[in-house]
Amino acid sequence: MSHAAARIDETRLWQRHVDMAKLGGLAKGGVNRQALSAEDAAARRLLGEWAAARGYDVFGDAIGNLYVRRPGTENDAAPVVTGSHMDSQPTGGKYDGIYGVLAGFEALEALDDAGVRTKRPVQVVAWMNEEGSRFQPGAMGSAVWAGHYDLAAMLAVKDRTGVVLADALRDTLTAAPCRQVDGFDRGFHAYIEAHIEQGPRLEAERKTIGVVTGIQGSQRYTVDVTGEEAHAGTTPLRVRKDALKSAVAIVAALERHMHDPADVVRFTVGRFECKPGSPNTVPGHVHFTIDFRHPDAAVLARLGDGIAKVAAAAAGPCKVEVARITDVPPTVFDPRIVDLVRAQATALGLSNMDMPSGAGHDAMHVAPFCPSGMIFVPCERGVSHNEAEAATPADLAAGARVLVEALHALADE
Ligand code: HGY
Ligand code: MN
Ligand code: MN
């Protein structure tokens, strides 16, 4: 163990999670800290205070990504970067995303406490709106940074109450001001993101560290079914254009389309809104979302290309509009980074295993620009996107030790 890993402070890292979990804390122990909310602004302010106390440089970009930078002796060299996201699901857990930001920050502090001067700057990024539960699509901050989504188009996105993202971002930066930089600096030397696994494998196989080899591909859609509002008591079935009845038939047809006996396809309808929502009016409009994933790009394309046809065939008398919102290909991490993570975990005497990620992460947008990888730590029963999400102080610190060792090695290249 180098002196940096020895300076990872389990208690300090745990307490920072406790402090962050108060921001948007929920009764059942989870958090609701959605992107650009007052709770998100409070988290940005808190991270900024911790960073200022260490003399780190804090700055933000035009889509609200937040950066904390520890200088290197060659401060103009491309930085080694780590991080994740601070926004959460509406009924999210205390570790999803925030662990990657806090493990990265803990790594900076451990480098300080060990008196390590790295050649390259080491930078922590908190990507804006990874979850996409308030403003769609998700992984927005990293996708705009990567040039996948147009900045102006994302700034114009509205949440379900009609709030425009640009206004929410302005309010957030008013509440949590920091130096703003122009453009998006994609000149990273390398990127490693630490995250809870959000699945059951590490716990089941009694491993402490997941050496992540890649991320499965994903596609997201919105579906709008339009029928005709009518009186529930007087309108005969034969003349109805019942949007709910059609939407239910469409979802059932999509379930058949996505059926996979090998249980590899991940198909989810997470949002389903029926209007006008009055008990005695035949629904005239249903809006629902589709999220589906697969590690094989060809399967993803085949199933995704079939969605509109399946929906149209099941729509009955209603109109259906299918829109593809995101299409993220499978990510394969750089073997050099994967090997480095595995070697550092092994050198630290931590049990580890190679594994793919079922969940999406900002690393999928960074990987095309620089050698990238991820480090997983276990979460209890693999539960995530749920207030019951749980992890242990020891596992969180173990992941941070692997992270600081890998960052230190890369920052001296
Ligand atoms: O949806 C995802 O995979 C990520 O956890 N937001
Ligand atoms: Mn996450
Ligand atoms: Mn998540």
Side-chain angles (χ1 to χ4, degrees), residues 85 96-97 130-131 195 361:
H85 58 95
D96 176 1
E130 190 277 343
E131 296 291 4
H195 206 285
H361 300 284

Side-chain angles (χ1 to χ4, degrees), residues 57-61 65-67 69 173 176-181:
D57 183 18
V58 179
F59 54 98
D61 66 24
N65 296 317
L66 183 62
Y67 304 87
R69 186 182 174 107
L173 296 178
C178 70
R179 177 168 70 86
Q180 291 296 301
V181 295

Side-chain angles (χ1 to χ4, degrees), residues 346-395:
T346 305
L348 287 165
L350 296 168
S351 58
N352 62 84
M353 57 184 263
D354 287 18
M355 60 190 297
S357 174
H361 300 284
D362 293 300
M364 59 199 180
H365 290 136
V366 181
F369 292 90
C370 69
S372 299
M374 290 188 74
I375 299 167
F376 276 171
V377 295
C379 58
E380 201 176 297
R381 295 184 296 113
V383 168
S384 183
H385 284 196
N386 181 311
E387 290 195 57
E389 186 183 274
T392 68
D395 285 346

Side-chain angles (χ1 to χ4, degrees), residues 138-314:
M140 184 190 280
S142 54
V144 168
W145 171 88
H148 285 314
Y149 301 151
D150 173 66
L151 173 62
M154 293 300 109
L155 290 172
V157 166
K158 291 181 181 172
D159 70 11
R160 280 190 274 177
T161 68
V163 174
V164 177
L165 190 144
D167 295 340
L169 179 56
R170 184 201 56 236
D171 294 348
T172 299
L173 296 178
T174 304
C178 70
R179 177 168 70 86
Q180 291 296 301
V181 295
D182 295 331
F184 300 101
D185 174 9
R186 300 185 188 123
F188 291 179
H189 177 66
Y191 177 80
I192 301 184
E193 179 168 349
H195 206 285
I196 53 169
E197 178 198 344
Q198 300 180 292
R201 288 191 58 197
L202 286 174
E203 185 182 67
E205 302 196 32
R206 299 183 186 287
K207 303 285 185 192
T208 304
I209 298 294
V211 180
V212 188
T213 53
I215 302 175
Q216 67 177 337
S218 65
Q219 291 187 2
R220 294 198 185 152
Y221 295 79
T222 58
V223 180
D224 285 282
V225 183
T226 306
E228 189 174 70
E229 293 173 7
H231 194 295
T234 59
T235 313
L237 291 184
R238 69 178 182 285
V239 297
R240 286 186 181 196
K241 291 182 180 177
D242 183 334
L244 180 76
K245 195 172 166 193
S246 292
V248 165
I250 290 168
V251 171
L254 287 171
E255 285 281 354
R256 291 190 295 274
H257 174 65
M258 294 285 179
H259 176 65
D260 172 13
D263 191 11
V264 176
V265 171
R266 294 282 177 270
F267 169 71
T268 309
V269 173
R271 181 178 290 171
F272 193 94
E273 294 164 344
C274 175
K275 289 188 176 144
S278 163
N280 50 357
T281 295
V282 175
H285 183 258
V286 169
H287 170 87
F288 67 87
T289 59
I290 293 171
D291 172 316
F292 90 94
R293 320 213 185 171
H294 198 278
D296 180 328
V299 173
L300 211 62
R302 176 174 58 77
L303 291 174
D305 292 348
I307 287 174
K309 193 158 150 254
V310 168

Side-chain angles (χ1 to χ4, degrees), residues 66-129:
L66 183 62
Y67 304 87
V68 175
R69 186 182 174 107
R70 180 179 188 267
T73 54
E74 294 181 23
N75 212 32
D76 294 335
V80 173
V81 184
T82 183
S84 191
H85 58 95
M86 298 203 287
D87 67 299
S88 79
Q89 288 283 325
T91 52
K94 295 193 286 280
Y95 308 97
D96 176 1
I98 193 69
Y99 169 58
V101 174
L102 296 179
F105 189 79
E106 178 62 30
L108 299 191
E109 296 194 288
L111 289 167
D112 276 0
D113 297 346
V116 170
R117 303 296 312 141
T118 57
K119 172 186 152 193
R120 298 176 178 279
V122 183
Q123 201 163 280
V124 180
V125 54
W127 297 108
M128 194 282 292
N129 191 31

